[in-house]
Amino acid sequence: MQFNTETKNGHGTVEIEVRDLTIAGWTGRDSAAVQHHIDELAAIGVAPPSQVPLFYRVSHNLLTTRANVQMLGETSSGEAEPMLIRAGGQLWIGLGSDHTDRELETVSVASSKQVCAKPCADHLWDFSLVADHVDQLEVRSWIWEDGDWVLYQDGTLAQILPVAELAGAIDMRDGQAMLCGTFAAIGGVRPASMFKAQLHDPVRQQTITFSYTAQPLPVVV
């Protein structure tokens, strides 16, 4: 995968072969917020996790920078999450979406993540650029609903476990990528085919953005 990059030396591009993709779940730093998210999903029939945090392995080829992806049915939705990638001995941070099949999630969380593409921005920051203020990074997402963009998520990385700690928990090595968890949806989790998100650094006044459309495929029985 090719990414546009920002380092201390300026801007460039890097080709990264992602060989391993992990989805970190239930990563909230505030236990009450984690329980809120568990309760939020329980309301739509999702079983609680066996432990927190929980690390789901999914196929690495699900990660994509394409702006159009295909999903089975109309019951899926995205979740904006900070994304870590280690390559060439270097840690990068970016932004991705843990797009999930909400209907299948009530049967198996792991399966619901495996069946969906994981769109991500094609821009990465050298982690060293944000390491001293990473908790201040802001993540927001919007869904297209009733003919307009509606704010869906809004939070800072201070609301999830330290991302460097999450990387250490799985001993991230070259070729590994991880989506690091997310915040509760404003108005509750619900399907949406059009999604956009941003990762904003208020200290450096830099922003990573991306958007995508999830084209529903017919469910044939």
Side-chain angles (χ1 to χ4, degrees), residues 14 23 25 83 86-87 92 101 130 156 184 189 193 198 207-208 214:
V14 64
I23 310 297
M83 176 178 70
R86 184 172 288 280
W92 301 91
D101 185 317
V130 302
T156 70
V189 175
S193 61
Q198 70 174 30
T207 305
I208 293 174

Side-chain angles (χ1 to χ4, degrees), residues 9 11 21 48 54 96 107 113 116 137 159 180 193 198 217:
N9 296 322
H11 297 269
L21 178 59
L54 198 57
V107 179
K113 296 182 179 301
C116 293
L137 300 185
Q159 294 172 246
C180 299
S193 61
Q198 70 174 30
L217 299 175

Side-chain angles (χ1 to χ4, degrees), residues 106-187:
T106 64
V107 179
S108 167
V109 174
S111 297
S112 72
K113 296 182 179 301
Q114 172 60 39
V115 300
C116 293
K118 306 301 180 190
C120 67
D122 64 357
H123 197 104
L124 298 173
W125 294 330
D126 182 337
F127 189 77
S128 66
L129 293 175
V130 302
D132 64 351
H133 61 277
V134 66
D135 279 356
Q136 296 180 51
L137 300 185
E138 301 163 355
V139 173
R140 295 182 180 87
S141 74
W142 296 261
I143 58 173
W144 185 259
E145 191 171 55
D146 298 328
D148 200 2
W149 287 107
V150 175
L151 185 64
Y152 189 62
Q153 294 171 284
D154 188 2
T156 70
L157 269 60
Q159 294 172 246
I160 64 174
L161 293 172
V163 291
E165 179 180 312
L166 293 172
I170 65 167
D171 190 21
M172 281 190 76
R173 300 181 181 181
D174 280 5
Q176 289 186 296
M178 179 168 59
L179 296 178
C180 299
T182 192
F183 325 113
I186 299 168

Side-chain angles (χ1 to χ4, degrees), residues 195-216:
F195 186 88
K196 67 178 182 179
Q198 70 174 30
L199 175 67
H200 178 65
D201 181 348
V203 174
R204 300 184 306 120
Q205 287 298 305
Q206 297 294 317
T207 305
I208 293 174
T209 63
F210 79 111
S211 62
Y212 66 93
T213 297
Q215 176 193 353

Side-chain angles (χ1 to χ4, degrees), residues 53-75:
L54 198 57
F55 298 95
Y56 301 92
R57 287 283 301 280
V58 297
S59 300
H60 62 81
N61 55 9
L62 294 176
L63 193 66
T64 180
T65 56
R66 294 181 178 179
N68 291 281
V69 293
Q70 294 180 320
M71 308 289 177
L72 184 64
E74 300 181 355
T75 62

